């Protein structure tokens, strides 16, 4: 017998996500207020750290939107639970970004000072010397990231859901954090090996895919009470493939993107010596002179815009960039195929729209 679709089902998933999620920039404010209340007796220093961590948040809020899409597509309908879980996801992202900036020595994110940059400026303004300010800023970055992780996990274990659901939410987040840590370690250690021996795709699977796509899909399904063995397998396949594609696209923007749009210097990854698939493939295919040029530029703090332009020319001429684009497309198709066969149809369609946006990213 034909059953008329509900009014909610007639509204596209993306629109329902935006409606129930609300302003994504406010997702973590309630959790930070709770942290502040718990640490109220700790004094103004703790309040300053919370403020610095909260101010570092930003971006496109892609991950909490994926949480929401997964939650709604799997039958979830509790706005308070959705916002709580989506906020926790954003806090995991914030924590890992804060730690990543600390590891990379970056002082700016989203076009403004991050925790380290903000603390350095305030410490210097207060009269601290360069070394003292740097030590305080590094400690603040480490502790702010730790605090964001703690806040995320506390938000999950206190979410308005049955105990079994809360445990599964926290367990999923911890597993993703562990994988991201392993990926970050592999990424950093990769800087000590010849670039042609690096493993950027493996790093992307561990460091980016685990918490940027797989975890949001998991949290949404778990919160909705629809996370069984088959769903878990599909989400892992989808998340890994789409997450790798996302990171490869991010690397492409890091080298070829317009800094005015991306908010990131086209020299940053080269000066940091980042081992990307673009560089690995270019070194594999280039002649001796071009390999030497890349080696001279990669990891050099003195690399210039002219050096970056020449590396881009080599990456393009060797076909390395085209090969990366083909790899991105292959991973997108693999992930979408898995979504079509293993996830709710409207979620698969939503991810297909997301993949279209990934193909045309400018930032």
């Amino acid at each position: 017998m034909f059953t008329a679709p509900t009014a909610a089902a007639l509204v596209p998933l993306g629109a329902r996500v935006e409606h129930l999620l609300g302003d994504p920039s406010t997702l973590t404010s309630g959790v930070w207020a709770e942290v502040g209340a718990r640490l109220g007796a700790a004094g103004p220093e703790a309040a300053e750290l919370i403020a610095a961590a909260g101010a570092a948040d930003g971006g496109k809020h892609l991950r909490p939107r994926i949480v929401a899409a997964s939650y709604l597509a799997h039958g979830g309908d509790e706005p308070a639970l959705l916002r709580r879980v989506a906020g926790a996801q954003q806090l995991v992202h914030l924590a890992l970004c804060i730690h990543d900036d600390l590891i990379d020595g970056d002082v700016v994110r989203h076009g403004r000072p991050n925790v380290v940059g903000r603390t350095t400026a305030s410490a210097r303004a207060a009269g601290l010397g360069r070394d003292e300010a740097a030590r305080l800023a590094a400690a603040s970055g480490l502790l702010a990231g730790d605090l964001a992780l703690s806040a995320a996990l506390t938000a999950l274990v206190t979410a308005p859901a049955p105990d079994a659901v809360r445990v599964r939410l926290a367990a999923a987040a911890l597993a993703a954090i562990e994988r991201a840590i392993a990926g970050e370690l592999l990424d950093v250690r990769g800087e000590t090996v010849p670039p042609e021996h690096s493993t950027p795709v493996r790093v992307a699977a561990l460091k980016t895919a685990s918490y940027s796509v797989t975890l949001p899909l998991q949290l949404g399904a778990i919160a909705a009470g629809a996370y069984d063995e088959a769903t878990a397998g599909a989400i892992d396949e989808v998340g890994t493939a789409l997450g790798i594609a996302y990171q490869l696209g991010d690397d492409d923007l890091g080298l070829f993107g317009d800094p005015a749009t991306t908010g990131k210097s086209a020299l940053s990854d080269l000066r940091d010596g980042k081992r990307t698939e673009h560089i690995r493939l270019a070194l594999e295919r280039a002649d001796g002179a071009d390999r030497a040029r890349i080696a001279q530029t990669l990891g050099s703090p003195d690399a210039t815009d002219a050096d970056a332009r020449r590396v881009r020319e080599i990456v393009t001429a060797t076909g390395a960039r085209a090969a990366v684009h083909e790899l991105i497309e292959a991973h997108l198709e693999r992930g979408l195929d898995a979504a079509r066969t293993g996830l709710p149809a409207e979620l698969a369609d939503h991810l297909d729209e997301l993949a279209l946006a990934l193909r045309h990213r400018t930032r």
Side-chain angles (χ1 to χ4, degrees):
M1 182 176 67
F2 173 74
T3 301
T6 64
L10 295 174
V11 179
L13 181 58
R16 289 159 57 204
V17 164
E18 298 305 319
H19 175 70
L20 288 181
L21 204 59
D23 181 358
S25 68
T26 66
L27 285 173
T28 62
S29 56
V31 179
W32 281 127
E34 293 171 16
V35 175
R38 290 194 295 269
L39 293 179
E45 295 82 3
E48 290 174 7
L49 186 67
I50 293 170
D57 203 357
K60 299 179 288 294
H61 293 89
L62 172 66
R63 294 158 188 83
R65 284 187 164 98
I66 296 176
V67 172
S70 180
Y71 178 73
L72 294 171
H74 282 102
D77 60 2
E78 296 291 337
L81 176 57
L82 168 59
R83 286 184 57 82
R84 185 76 169 183
V85 175
Q89 170 67 64
Q90 182 65 15
L91 285 168
V92 170
H93 173 55
L94 172 63
L96 296 177
C97 285
I98 292 173
H99 284 162
D100 193 54
D101 285 350
L102 182 61
I103 290 169
D104 292 344
D106 292 333
V107 297
V108 173
R109 183 175 282 267
H110 305 307
R112 59 181 185 271
N114 58 17
V115 174
V116 172
R118 176 176 168 142
T119 306
T120 299
S122 62
R124 293 289 282 161
L128 268 64
R130 187 180 304 276
D131 291 345
E132 291 175 303
R135 184 174 186 277
L136 177 61
S140 296
L142 176 63
L143 296 172
D146 290 347
L147 194 62
L149 285 177
S150 174
L153 291 167
T154 302
L156 293 175
V157 298
T158 58
D163 289 346
V165 171
R166 292 191 295 221
V167 169
R168 295 190 81 178
L169 289 169
L174 286 167
I177 291 166
E178 288 176 347
R179 286 176 63 83
I181 290 171
E184 183 69 63
L185 178 63
L186 187 63
D187 195 15
V188 173
R189 286 200 170 186
E191 296 173 7
T192 67
V193 303
E196 60 270 26
H197 296 159
S198 61
T199 56
V201 173
R202 184 182 174 206
V203 170
L206 289 169
K207 181 180 172 182
T208 303
S210 61
Y211 86 91
S212 291
V213 186
T214 303
L215 178 61
L217 290 171
Q218 288 175 327
L219 292 181
I222 292 169
Y227 194 66
D228 55 22
E229 185 175 346
T231 301
I235 284 177
D236 185 63
E237 189 173 356
V238 172
T240 299
L242 296 187
I244 290 172
Y246 182 87
Q247 183 58 59
L248 292 174
D250 203 56
D251 292 341
D252 193 71
L253 285 176
L255 186 58
F256 289 93
D258 179 2
T261 303
T262 64
K264 177 180 179 179
S265 168
L267 275 169
S268 179
D269 285 350
L270 290 173
R271 284 179 171 170
D272 291 342
K274 186 173 183 180
R275 271 56 171 164
T276 65
E277 189 69 359
H278 296 74
I279 296 298
R280 189 189 72 80
L281 289 173
L283 286 169
E284 184 180 86
R285 300 173 178 205
D287 61 26
D290 284 343
R291 283 199 300 271
R293 176 60 66 90
I294 294 175
Q296 182 181 23
T297 303
L298 195 65
S300 170
D302 300 321
T304 66
D305 288 330
D307 293 326
R309 183 169 58 253
R310 181 56 186 148
V311 169
R312 287 194 292 270
E313 291 171 353
I314 296 169
V315 169
T316 302
T318 59
R321 189 186 190 196
V324 170
H325 286 180
E326 290 176 3
L327 194 57
I328 291 172
E329 189 63 32
H331 278 92
L332 287 176
E333 286 305 316
R334 184 175 302 131
L336 294 175
D337 284 346
R340 294 181 191 109
T341 57
L343 297 180
E346 65 172 348
L347 180 56
D349 290 342
H350 185 75
L351 292 173
D352 193 57
E353 294 176 6
L354 175 62
L356 180 63
L358 290 179
R359 290 183 177 102
H360 300 285
R361 283 181 67 195
T362 59
R363 62 185 179 93

